Amino acid sequence: MTQALDQIFVLTKQWLLGFVPASAQPICSAILSVVPVLIGFPLLFAITTWLERKGLGRLQNRYGPNRTGPYGLFQPIADAIKSLTKEDIVPLTADHTVHFLAPVLLAAASFLGYAVLPIGRNMVLVNMNAGVLYFFAVGSVVELAVFMAGWSSRSKYSLLGAMRAIAQMISYEVPLVLASIVAIMQAGSLSTVAIVDKQAGYTGIWPHWFVFTPWGVVGFALFMIAATAESNRSPFDLPEGESEIIAGYYIEYSGFKFALFFLGEYLGMFATSGMAITLFLGGWSAPFSFLTWIPSYVWFFAKLLALIAGFIWIRGTLPRLRMDQLMSLAWEFILPMALLNMLDAGIWHFMPAGVLRWLVCTAIVAVPCVLLGQGLKRNKKFQVRTYQFAK
Amino acid sequence: MVGEGILKGLVETARNFFGSYVGKDRLTTVQYPEERLPQIEAARSFPFLVYDGPDWDKGMRCVACQICEKECPPKCILIKKSADKKPDAVGKPQFYPAVFNIDISVCMSCQICVEVCPFDAIKMDVDYDLSTDDRFGDLLLDKERLAKSNEYYNAIHPTEAAAVDAHFAEERAKAEAKAKAATEAKAAAEAKVAPAAQEQPVGGETQ
Amino acid sequence: MTVTFLILAVITVAGTAAAMGLRNAVHCVLALTVGFAGVAAIYLQLDAQFVGLTQIMVYVGAVAILAVFAIMMTHTPLPAKPPTYSSFWLLGSVVAAAVFAVLAWAICSSAASTQGLPPEPEVSVQQIGDALMHQFVLPLEIMGLLLTAALIGAVVIAMDRREETK
């Protein structure tokens, strides 16, 4: 019974495939796998917008949306109707083709990452040999879409926003990949399915998740910081800072194209969160051995929602960083920590298991963390700023 | 320790999150259409015209002097002077506005019209529920829609209105006293010499 | 030659041709990116996952962005007025045709093309890693050293400039 419930989607798909002729089965199989993802995650996006507005409201002692439907639950529907019926404005001097293509490319690229995320046991679209590499490769296409949006609008704000966004994404892609390397090293594979399988066992009731090791917890923290920056979320939302460059690269977009940008941004956030779950939080596996009767996909989405809640909490708490703070955090703290963390994971791999391994590996990451943190604090010089090009 | 401040902030917002579900006093939001904040006396939205007595058309204080029309910075007031005269609040015959329009989609609530009005005829309203689905017709207020009674003015700006009323009462008393003096003088003059009394009532009236 | 290959080949060739033909420099870069992506898709279609994905990551994610940044920094993108043809276009096309002929001849006369296709090897990322770390470790290290030197050089240049302006 538990087994059947766990595999219900896989079994349903196979049952449905029985009705189509053998020659059409590969294409039907692909459609049956892809369509739920294409529906499910945008639905999650709709729910998240409501959760975010409610959550942010409560974090700031407000009510949040409470007019449309019970507890404002129909707010996403109202938003969708509004954005669909709004006038689609294209600036007169804009590059029309590129202006149109940018949101399409962004949304498409954001969807591509889901191909390698194991949502549940046996529930992955493509079990790719180089799954993690694929994920980061399609993630880098987003930068191009952002540039296209910013450049084609012919507006200084959108161009500034695009340049900020690209600079930020490139800077944080390095720590993002370096932070994920520790999990790849330990699993010995780039395949997401293999990485999840590696974490599936239990010692007593405790799972073998990578986050429960010194290098794992540091890797997870660095990955989440870099993921926040990659998805342009607060406190790293400089590319779209409302108070300075209004909305950044998508300022000249309205109506459904604007909604597509929003969708792409949230899908990117879900995808990187899903990757963090896959790499460090054991993918779809249950947190305790006695909870394995709950279906695997439930665990995946529970973890995803927990991470989203974390994102919202962070957004409701921290103010926006300045550009130089953003860069110094990336290059002076996160990057050295990620490199050290790789060394730590290697040492962990070769030391015999025991308390000594724990102590040594914790010390290797904890001491530099404190030292680098002090370095970040000490380097604060308050002085009149001089600008190289604006004199 | 690095990240200490971040943790402190996170604890604070978490306290807000759970506290706002427990203690209603944390929530500062006023649920607008159902609840409203108490009106502040100094509040102002758009101008309106004050009238005395029961009939808005007869009791209109405005004498169509057009000072407000000239002073209005965004030029949102349109006044057309009447051809005939009728008695004003004090009792003098005055012109009255045949047309008095204010386009509140242009008005910027600067209150200059109120400052310059010598007759205390135009005052600031406090009504803010002015949204409408006809942005041309419904936001151009004509004389009838602008006219509001002195009682209403007393209700929304009590201190100010009391001062205005006191001022008017004084004026009226003065005018009455003058009229009385004039009639008495007239009577005395009539009693004395009939031909010499011809000029006096005229002089008394024009003062 | 399958239908998928034909489609990808047409996309790749069209993209690269547009990169040469379009007037707006940013359009050229975007068209070139389509060409890069087409090549990556062909790699993926040949089951060379690592090469294909690295192609996307490096060329689409980095090289195209770099080119785009360079164009944005150097000039304002105004549409060029008349199509500019080099006066050496005849010579150029002759050289291009000659290069194409030599390459085609080299490919056609090589041993690999006459033998027929070898059985498709199963290349995993693991094998590539093994090869890089064992057989080709020295070239890899030299490459790493070179890139590090380039990186340090870039940093030094940037730092020098900063001190001059102070």
Side-chain angles (χ1 to χ4, degrees):
Chain A
M1 182 57 205
T2 319
Q3 275 278 310
L5 206 63
D6 190 23
Q7 295 297 300
I8 187 160
F9 293 112
V10 181
L11 294 175
T12 315
K13 184 186 150 191
Q14 272 160 5
W15 175 70
L16 281 173
L17 276 182
F19 293 102
V20 293
S23 57
Q25 266 187 2
I27 184 95
C28 286
S29 163
I31 289 170
L32 281 177
S33 307
V34 170
V35 166
V37 170
L38 287 186
I39 295 170
F41 282 94
L43 263 180
L44 185 66
F45 159 65
I47 297 165
T48 305
T49 53
W50 176 77
L51 277 177
E52 174 148 24
R53 291 175 64 175
K54 278 302 236 193
L56 276 181
R58 289 291 175 172
L59 289 173
Q60 297 160 355
N61 287 329
R62 293 185 286 109
Y63 285 101
N66 59 355
R67 296 279 147 177
T68 37
Y71 301 101
L73 255 174
F74 300 146
Q75 191 66 42
I77 300 171
D79 288 346
I81 293 170
K82 181 189 160 202
S83 62
L84 273 171
T85 51
K86 263 190 152 181
E87 187 186 353
D88 176 31
I89 300 166
V90 181
L92 195 65
T93 49
D95 195 314
H96 291 242
T97 328
V98 183
H99 192 266
F100 169 76
L101 280 177
V104 178
L105 181 68
L106 186 91
S110 310
F111 270 117
L112 279 176
Y114 293 95
V116 290
L117 285 186
I119 298 164
R121 192 179 275 119
N122 302 327
M123 282 164 71
V124 61
L125 295 190
V126 196
N127 182 8
M128 219 182 256
N129 208 335
V132 182
L133 187 68
Y134 166 86
F135 184 84
F136 292 123
V138 294
S140 65
V141 177
V142 172
E143 285 159 31
L144 202 69
V146 165
F147 164 76
M148 282 163 72
W151 177 80
S152 67
S153 300
R154 277 284 174 92
S155 152
K156 51 180 170 272
Y157 296 112
S158 55
L159 197 62
L160 273 175
M163 289 182 84
R164 280 187 186 189
I166 294 169
Q168 180 178 321
M169 281 175 167
I170 289 176
S171 304
Y172 276 86
E173 208 161 67
V174 179
L176 189 75
V177 175
L178 284 179
S180 60
I181 278 180
V182 287
I184 298 164
M185 278 164 72
Q186 193 66 18
S189 171
L190 276 171
S191 156
T192 47
V193 176
I195 291 171
V196 173
D197 285 342
K198 186 88 179 171
Q199 305 176 64
Y202 295 92
T203 310
I205 58 163
W206 302 102
H208 291 168
W209 295 359
F210 289 154
V211 77
F212 297 129
T213 54
W215 51 269
V217 68
V218 173
F220 177 66
L222 295 176
F223 190 93
M224 286 321 285
I225 294 172
T228 319
E230 275 287 287
S231 49
N232 294 336
R233 278 188 67 88
S234 178
F236 302 103
D237 58 348
L238 291 105
E240 52 204 56
E242 281 84 2
S243 48
E244 30 194 290
I245 48 174
I246 316 159
Y249 48 87
Y250 52 76
I251 177 177
E252 299 293 352
Y253 284 89
S254 62
F256 201 65
K257 287 184 193 159
F258 181 82
L260 272 181
F261 273 105
F262 233 69
L263 176 75
E265 194 173 293
Y266 275 84
L267 284 178
M269 183 179 97
F270 299 156
T272 33
S273 303
M275 192 37 92
I277 291 167
T278 307
L279 290 173
F280 297 103
L281 298 180
W284 40 258
S285 59
F288 298 107
S289 60
F290 53 83
L291 286 176
T292 41
W293 55 271
I294 295 174
S296 53
Y297 45 85
V298 173
W299 281 121
F300 181 84
F301 281 101
K303 289 172 191 174
L304 191 56
L305 282 173
L307 285 187
I308 290 168
F311 272 122
I312 295 171
W313 190 6
I314 293 280
R315 180 177 169 183
T317 305
L318 300 182
R320 185 180 305 137
L321 263 69
R322 217 169 48 214
M323 199 70 193
D324 60 324
Q325 292 170 334
L326 178 92
M327 288 300 164
S328 69
L329 181 71
W331 298 106
E332 290 172 15
F333 183 77
I334 296 180
L335 192 71
M337 279 307 292
L339 289 172
L340 262 172
N341 202 32
M342 278 166 65
L343 178 77
D344 194 35
I347 290 171
W348 175 275
H349 186 70
F350 287 112
M351 271 181 83
V355 182
L356 186 67
R357 180 166 84 160
W358 266 93
L359 286 177
V360 169
C361 287
T362 311
I364 286 177
V365 285
V367 173
C369 178
V370 173
L371 291 178
L372 284 170
Q374 274 174 352
L376 270 186
K377 275 187 180 168
R378 202 183 309 123
N379 282 343
K380 271 188 201 124
K381 279 178 283 183
F382 295 105
Q383 58 186 28
V384 179
R385 289 183 67 181
T386 51
Y387 296 93
Q388 198 174 346
F389 298 110
K391 273 180 185 167
Chain B
M1 181 62 196
V2 66
E4 199 180 347
I6 295 175
L7 287 180
K8 255 187 214 163
L10 287 175
V11 169
E12 184 62 36
T13 42
R15 201 177 287 145
N16 281 351
F17 185 84
F18 294 109
S20 66
Y21 281 102
V22 181
K24 286 279 169 208
D25 52 324
R26 269 176 178 271
L27 294 161
T28 50
T29 315
V30 177
Q31 306 258 46
Y32 158 60
E34 294 95 38
E35 304 169 18
R36 275 157 199 261
L37 286 171
Q39 197 64 251
I40 301 164
E41 208 188 319
R44 68 180 195 226
S45 60
F46 295 110
F48 71 98
L49 298 175
V50 190
Y51 67 85
D52 296 303
D55 186 9
W56 67 268
D57 203 23
K58 274 188 191 140
M60 184 87 63
R61 285 182 188 171
C62 178
V63 298
C65 66
Q66 291 176 311
I67 294 177
C68 54
E69 189 186 22
K70 290 189 182 79
E71 292 288 339
C72 179
K75 299 272 171 269
C76 67
I77 304 178
L78 174 79
I79 302 172
K80 282 200 181 121
K81 212 181 227 177
S82 62
D84 56 332
K85 287 189 178 187
K86 60 181 184 182
D88 72 343
V90 189
K92 276 188 230 167
Q94 294 273 20
F95 290 109
Y96 62 93
V99 175
F100 198 116
N101 287 345
I102 295 181
D103 190 346
I104 57 167
S105 66
V106 177
C107 176
M108 61 186 200
S109 308
C110 64
Q111 210 181 352
I112 287 178
C113 50
V114 178
E115 305 291 340
V116 297
C117 184
F119 299 93
D120 286 308
I122 191 163
K123 293 289 170 195
M124 294 306 276
D125 205 349
V126 291
D127 187 19
Y128 50 86
D129 298 305
L130 296 164
S131 63
T132 165
D133 49 10
D134 177 12
R135 62 175 163 156
F136 298 110
D138 273 358
L139 293 177
L140 182 67
L141 304 185
D142 57 8
K143 200 165 71 165
E144 186 173 358
R145 288 183 63 192
L146 283 170
K148 282 175 184 166
S149 68
N150 193 27
E151 287 73 53
Y152 174 78
Y153 177 44
N154 267 297
I156 58 171
H157 299 303
T159 324
E160 209 183 295
V164 170
D165 281 352
H167 172 70
F168 268 117
E170 202 181 305
E171 289 282 300
R172 229 172 267 134
K174 235 187 244 171
E176 262 168 37
K178 206 167 269 175
K180 213 172 158 190
T183 43
E184 270 169 19
K186 201 176 167 187
E190 269 171 7
K192 270 186 187 170
V193 199
Q198 288 295 331
E199 289 149 43
Q200 267 200 337
V202 181
E205 234 168 68
T206 46
Q207 256 177 22
Chain C
M1 199 182 283
T2 58
V3 182
T4 358
F5 173 76
L6 265 181
I7 295 171
L8 292 176
V10 166
I11 290 174
T12 311
V13 172
T16 39
M20 290 182 286
L22 288 173
R23 305 236 190 102
N24 193 322
V26 175
H27 285 176
C28 292
V29 174
L30 293 177
L32 188 66
T33 315
V34 173
F36 288 150
V39 172
I42 290 173
Y43 286 147
L44 287 177
Q45 201 217 353
L46 292 170
D47 261 350
Q49 283 184 3
F50 186 79
V51 184
L53 295 174
T54 313
Q55 166 90 10
I56 294 180
M57 207 162 174
V58 172
Y59 282 90
V60 178
V63 173
I65 296 287
L66 195 70
V68 143
F69 252 76
I71 289 168
M72 274 202 305
M73 295 284 191
T74 46
H75 79 129
T76 42
L78 287 171
K81 264 143 234 147
T84 46
Y85 283 112
S86 166
S87 48
F88 301 111
W89 66 273
L90 194 69
L91 191 67
S93 50
V94 168
V95 170
V99 170
F100 180 77
V102 169
L103 282 177
W105 171 77
I107 291 167
C108 289
S109 63
S110 74
S113 63
T114 48
Q115 269 171 4
L117 287 173
E120 206 170 84
E122 186 68 34
V123 182
S124 68
V125 181
Q126 199 156 15
Q127 280 167 296
I128 293 175
D130 278 341
L132 279 179
M133 282 298 153
H134 295 128
Q135 202 182 342
F136 300 106
V137 70
L138 194 65
L140 185 77
E141 291 292 323
I142 292 171
M143 203 84 92
L145 210 63
L146 196 70
L147 288 176
T148 315
L151 201 67
I152 291 170
V155 170
V156 166
I157 289 170
M159 280 171 86
D160 270 0
R161 195 169 170 188
R162 206 176 180 185
E163 267 156 28
E164 271 168 32
T165 53
K166 260 181 190 172

